[in-house]
Amino acid sequence: MYFPAGRYLDTDSAHCCVSSWRFPTEVPRAKLTGLYITNALAKTEAVENGFDEAIMLTPSGYVAEGSGENIFLVVDGKLVTPPASDGILVGITRDTVMNWPRTNWASKR
């Protein structure tokens, strides 16, 4: 069964900020509403300051994730994302993106 969710951000290029809210690594990461309160606060802070999205950092100051999505970059032709050991939500989307390049990246470049 397929339910189209639409776009999370209503823009082709997001204007992002680093949130003052830190990513909570001390709590278990699961899709439970109460665990997303920090993400909601980070998103609210970003929008109130004129940004589209917030980038959250770990308590050590490393990039963790956006307020509502994983973060992926291509650096020197390699796909990079924060490690699961940082406590980020490891789910279907992250797994799909991390495995997609193995079969598709070379043919799309």
Side-chain angles (χ1 to χ4, degrees):
M1 191 172 283
Y2 173 72
F3 297 98
R7 295 170 62 152
Y8 175 70
L9 297 173
D10 192 27
T11 181
D12 289 330
S13 61
H15 187 208
C16 300
C17 68
V18 174
S19 178
S20 65
W21 290 93
R22 291 297 173 121
F23 179 78
T25 56
E26 66 278 358
V27 296
R29 297 301 293 166
K31 282 196 172 186
L32 302 172
T33 305
L35 297 179
Y36 281 123
I37 189 65
T38 308
N39 299 59
L41 291 167
K43 176 70 172 190
T44 299
E45 175 187 49
V47 171
E48 286 178 349
N49 287 291
F51 295 93
D52 300 311
E53 181 59 298
I55 296 173
M56 299 177 69
L57 304 179
T58 66
S60 300
Y62 296 102
V63 171
E65 63 186 19
S67 69
E69 66 282 311
N70 296 112
I71 293 180
F72 301 92
L73 298 171
V74 176
V75 178
D76 295 327
K78 294 182 181 179
L79 184 66
V80 295
T81 190
S85 60
D86 280 352
I88 64 169
L89 180 62
V90 180
I92 295 168
T93 302
R94 184 178 188 276
D95 184 60
T96 300
V97 172
M98 293 304 292
N99 288 307
W100 180 80
R102 292 187 183 134
T103 57
N104 296 294
W105 183 258
S107 64
K108 304 291 184 194
R109 292 187 65 175

